[in-house]
Amino acid sequence: MNDYLSSFVNWSHSEILNGLALIPIIFCLFKSWDIRAKLNLKFRRYSNIQLIVLLVAVFFAAWYSFFHSYVYIASTFSQLFWNWDFSEIIPTERAVLWSLGAILFEEGFRYLLIIVLLEAFKGQRGQIELTIFLSALFFGLIHYAGLLDQGPIFIISTQAIFAFGYGCFLATLYLYSGKFWLVLLSHFSLDLIAFSLSAGGGGILSWYDNNDLLSNGLSMVFALAMTLIMFLGKQRKIMQENAARLINA
């Protein structure tokens, strides 16, 4: 009975049901607003430089999934960036369900925001930048819903800071690759690692006080830096073309 109740609690506390409910809502909104959008684009032909940028972005997403979690518990500077103890990752039912709920609800919400913003700024200068910035801003602000559960506003604010930076990167990755499943995979792996770590906080950054602020702030800086890198050269043109393909299905 305890096992059954534990599973029920894990299901109810995840965002899986909310995420599933969001799917028909998005469908109905797009239909009523006459939006014909795609979720994924067919793989396009990239130049060598553009392909390298895409591969670097995918590699960064994989690295970032570990970095964001281990930055809290790293006892040395090398452990901040690469020297991670993978034995501390112990996946549980709760970790899997909560991670699935996150990609269903939060990424469904992100997709809705990106498409609506692309439509709203269609034909306007700065369409890509405004879509990425505002979708990430909304993604960060929804974390303040935690105040309804009496969450500490300082902790929630640090989470919002990270979510904004990570949201910029995920939106850029989506517009550059045209593959929403890459966004889902990146977010799922990040949350799964975070929920599966057996060790707590108190890493090297805690020596400087405000471990949450420093950790989430560092995560935001790296995500924003990668976002800017993906705008170098002619990469913005790729995003602009993919944006047009996404909302002109």
Side-chain angles (χ1 to χ4, degrees):
M1 189 63 180
N2 286 336
D3 291 339
Y4 172 80
L5 290 175
S6 176
S7 297
F8 177 78
V9 169
N10 287 332
W11 272 95
S12 62
H13 285 190
S14 73
E15 296 286 353
I16 290 178
L17 293 179
N18 289 342
L20 292 175
L22 187 59
I23 295 174
I25 291 175
I26 293 174
F27 175 81
C28 291
L29 287 175
F30 283 3
K31 188 173 180 63
S32 64
W33 294 338
D34 196 27
I35 295 177
R36 297 176 176 84
K38 289 183 178 179
L39 185 64
N40 292 290
L41 299 176
K42 292 182 179 180
F43 193 81
R44 60 177 298 153
R45 189 181 296 274
Y46 291 92
S47 68
N48 290 337
I49 295 298
Q50 293 163 352
L51 184 59
I52 289 173
V53 171
L54 177 59
L55 292 176
V56 168
V58 171
F59 175 82
F60 173 83
W63 172 84
Y64 190 82
S65 295
F66 291 95
F67 166 75
H68 172 65
S69 294
Y70 280 91
V71 71
Y72 287 90
I73 63 175
S75 57
T76 65
F77 281 104
S78 65
Q79 291 177 356
L80 282 175
F81 303 106
W82 70 85
N83 191 22
W84 303 312
D85 183 3
F86 297 117
S87 66
E88 294 177 340
I89 301 177
I90 305 175
T92 62
E93 178 187 61
R94 171 183 175 274
V96 173
L97 291 176
W98 282 37
S99 300
L100 284 174
I103 66 172
L104 281 172
F105 181 69
E106 294 181 13
E107 294 312 320
F109 181 63
R110 186 193 312 284
Y111 175 71
L112 173 63
L113 283 174
I114 288 176
I115 297 301
V116 169
L117 288 170
L118 286 176
E119 283 282 355
F121 297 114
K122 181 190 287 188
Q124 297 186 29
R125 188 175 182 180
Q127 178 198 31
I128 302 302
E129 291 82 358
L130 286 170
T131 296
I132 291 172
F133 176 82
L134 290 177
S135 65
L137 180 62
F138 281 121
F139 181 60
L141 290 176
I142 62 173
H143 285 72
Y144 282 97
L147 292 174
L148 298 175
D149 296 325
Q150 307 302 315
I153 188 170
F154 175 77
I155 300 299
I156 293 175
S157 296
T158 62
Q159 293 171 353
I161 288 173
F162 149 71
F164 170 74
Y166 189 47
C168 285
F169 168 69
L170 289 182
T172 305
L173 178 64
Y174 180 42
L175 292 178
Y176 189 79
S177 67
K179 305 294 184 183
F180 198 67
W181 58 265
L182 273 178
V183 175
L184 296 177
L185 185 60
S186 175
H187 195 165
F188 177 79
S189 60
L190 183 141
D191 278 7
L192 182 63
I193 294 169
F195 291 137
S196 299
L197 275 180
S198 57
I204 191 172
L205 294 184
S206 65
W207 302 350
Y208 306 98
D209 295 327
N210 292 330
N211 188 31
D212 288 294
L213 179 60
L214 286 172
S215 300
N216 283 308
L218 196 59
S219 293
M220 180 195 69
V221 168
F222 274 91
L224 288 178
M226 190 61 218
T227 298
L228 293 177
I229 289 174
M230 294 179 69
F231 269 92
L232 295 177
K234 298 180 180 180
Q235 316 316 322
R236 187 189 182 282
K237 181 179 179 182
I238 297 293
M239 295 185 220
Q240 191 71 63
E241 293 173 354
N242 283 341
R245 294 167 66 198
L246 283 170
I247 61 175
N248 292 312

